[in-house]
Amino acid sequence: MNLIEQLGGYEKAKLIVDKSPCKTYTYHNHPYQKGYIRCWGRDGKDYFLVSDIEKALLEYRRQHNIFEVGDKVVVKNDCLIDFADLILNMKVLTVLMMTDDGFIRSIEAAGLFKSSLVRHATDEEIEAGKRLEVK
C-alpha cells in the first residue's frame, strides 16, 4: 500500500499538506487522533513527514496526468506547439490556472493551451529549467 492509500486517498493526503503549518512537520496517523500533525519525535507509529506526503502527491499527479496550480510542466515531444515564442516549447512552464474544460494557463506563456499537450516535468527537467529529450 502506497503512502497516498495509507492516508485515505489523494484528497485526504492533499488536505493534510494544505493544513500543515510547514513542510517539516510530521503527520501522525493514529487511530484515535486522525489528522493529528506534530513536529517532534518518532516512536515507531505511523508518522509521515509532510514533505514526503507532498512528494507522494506529486508522483500521484504525474502517474495520473493530473495538473494543479504550481505544477511544473513541459510541452510533450510529439506535441510541439506554436506559442508566440517557440522557445517556450523547450522551457519548463509553471501552471498558473486550470479551467474546467481542460485548459492550462502558465506563468511563462500568454494564452491558454490544452492540458493534453503537456506533461509533468521530471525532476531533472525542473533542475535544468528546460525540456530534456525523452525517447
Side-chain angles (χ1 to χ4, degrees):
M1 180 183 300
N2 68 31
L3 179 56
I4 300 296
E5 291 168 346
Q6 284 181 293
L7 296 173
Y10 183 84
E11 293 302 321
K12 172 89 189 268
K14 185 169 173 7
L15 188 60
I16 291 166
V17 170
D18 290 345
K19 290 173 102 180
S20 173
C22 74
K23 295 177 193 331
T24 58
Y25 271 46
T26 303
Y27 172 75
H28 180 202
N29 190 17
H30 190 278
Y32 303 110
Q33 299 173 329
K34 285 292 184 191
Y36 183 68
I37 292 178
R38 58 190 288 158
C39 60
W40 55 88
R42 293 177 176 246
D43 57 8
K45 294 192 172 98
D46 289 337
Y47 292 95
F48 309 102
L49 286 175
V50 172
S51 59
D52 290 342
I53 299 170
E54 236 178 8
K55 288 176 191 170
L57 287 170
L58 175 59
E59 193 53 43
Y60 183 92
R61 289 195 304 275
R62 284 175 173 168
Q63 289 174 359
H64 294 90
N65 211 25
I66 299 168
F67 301 100
E68 290 189 2
V69 172
D71 282 351
K72 304 290 187 184
V73 299
V74 293
V75 176
K76 292 179 182 176
N77 284 356
D78 58 345
C79 294
L80 293 181
I81 52 180
D82 185 24
F83 285 116
D85 184 357
L86 284 175
I87 293 174
L88 287 174
N89 285 322
M90 295 300 292
K91 284 188 173 181
V92 172
L93 307 172
T94 306
V95 175
L96 178 65
M97 181 190 85
M98 300 277 311
T99 66
D100 292 336
D101 54 353
F103 282 87
I104 292 175
R105 180 181 306 274
S106 80
I107 293 171
E108 299 81 4
L112 297 170
F113 51 93
K114 285 290 262 179
S115 61
S116 61
L117 299 177
V118 298
R119 63 171 173 74
H120 279 275
T122 64
D123 293 337
E124 294 80 15
E125 288 171 326
I126 293 169
E127 187 175 320
K130 64 180 183 176
R131 181 173 56 87
L132 301 175
E133 297 303 318
V134 178
K135 298 195 175 19

